[in-house]
Amino acid sequence: MVPKPQGFYLRLQELPLPAQQAFMAALCERLLPNYVLYEQTTGQGDSHTLRTVVSLVWERLNVPNASIDFARQAEKLAECEPSEEDDSFGARRALDAVVSVSALLDTLQGDSPEAVLDVSRTSRAGVRAFIELTEGEVDAQKLALIIRDHPLMADENDFQDAVLEMVSEPLDKAALKEVRELGRNGGISNLGLSLEDTGA
């Protein structure tokens, strides 16, 4: 059963901003292993900075008046982007993580109403690209059905639904901790990859 994104996206947009930020931060947590795998396999990237920025966002959510210079963090984040010359699948998924964290930072620095939708769609699109990569050459109609019924896409949809449900409730510190734990997903990314896969 694939959820109707329209109703889902409407609910996302109606959330108060801190709940949207918690939703995005949870999705970013789940994208981080893809970035770390890219860094480990290529020697490029800076996952430490990426993790630090995400941790600072959780800190701000827990302590709304925490003094954090998110403009400075955005500058650091820009340096984490994979090289434009690298068009590999791993680099594109690493970029998904950076772009998603960047969208999250935008909401902490000013008005960015589309950010929560962008992060949700970026995560889904990464899963779709991974399925396309692993399925090889099939016609578009058949591929659409494969993607719709694929366990990874079902898992992605279930995950985003679960996060949405959690952030729709009042978010005290205990609830935020649970949302973050859900986002970490046992160290498994939205592509079903974990750092254990590399022996790391």
Side-chain angles (χ1 to χ4, degrees):
M1 171 70 185
V2 177
K4 298 172 185 65
Q6 225 35 57
F8 176 88
Y9 291 138
L10 194 63
R11 282 183 64 194
L12 263 187
Q13 283 195 293
E14 287 172 349
L15 289 172
L17 184 58
Q20 289 187 1
Q21 289 166 338
F23 177 90
M24 288 187 276
L27 266 63
C28 288
E29 288 280 359
R30 197 159 170 258
L31 293 172
L32 279 175
N34 295 333
Y35 187 96
V36 177
L37 286 168
Y38 163 76
E39 183 182 30
Q40 288 176 349
T41 51
T42 64
Q44 307 293 316
D46 180 0
S47 58
H48 175 73
T49 294
L50 207 56
R51 282 189 193 284
T52 302
V53 174
V54 176
S55 293
L56 287 171
V57 172
W58 288 113
E59 187 181 326
R60 167 59 71 84
L61 287 169
N62 273 297
V63 186
N65 57 357
S67 176
I68 299 167
D69 183 352
F70 282 110
R72 176 77 191 99
Q73 297 308 319
E75 287 171 19
K76 290 183 187 174
L77 195 62
E79 293 165 17
C80 296
E81 288 191 12
S83 158
E84 284 180 15
E85 281 83 63
D86 188 348
D87 196 32
S88 67
F89 183 82
R92 289 199 294 272
R93 300 294 72 81
L95 185 61
D96 286 349
V98 178
V99 166
S100 296
V101 177
S102 182
L104 173 52
L105 286 191
D106 287 346
T107 69
L108 289 152
Q109 297 180 85
D111 197 29
S112 188
E114 292 291 309
V116 71
L117 303 184
D118 291 342
V119 173
S120 171
R121 288 173 180 145
T122 296
S123 186
R124 284 188 214 272
V127 175
R128 193 176 301 117
F130 186 67
I131 296 168
E132 288 174 2
L133 181 77
T134 52
E135 287 302 321
E137 293 295 318
V138 289
D139 68 72
Q141 208 169 358
K142 190 176 175 191
L143 184 62
L145 291 173
I146 290 170
I147 290 170
R148 191 193 71 187
D149 298 331
H150 199 283
L152 272 179
M153 189 54 84
D155 186 53
E156 174 69 14
N157 291 332
D158 289 347
F159 172 78
Q160 290 204 25
D161 284 345
V163 178
L164 177 58
E165 291 307 322
M166 282 184 89
V167 301
S168 298
E169 302 296 323
L171 287 173
D172 57 15
K173 286 189 178 182
L176 282 167
K177 190 177 177 186
E178 282 183 30
V179 175
R180 187 175 191 181
E181 203 53 44
L182 180 65
R184 284 181 167 163
N185 200 40
I188 299 170
S189 80
N190 62 331
L191 307 182
L193 303 174
S194 80
L195 302 182
E196 280 71 54
D197 295 343
T198 63

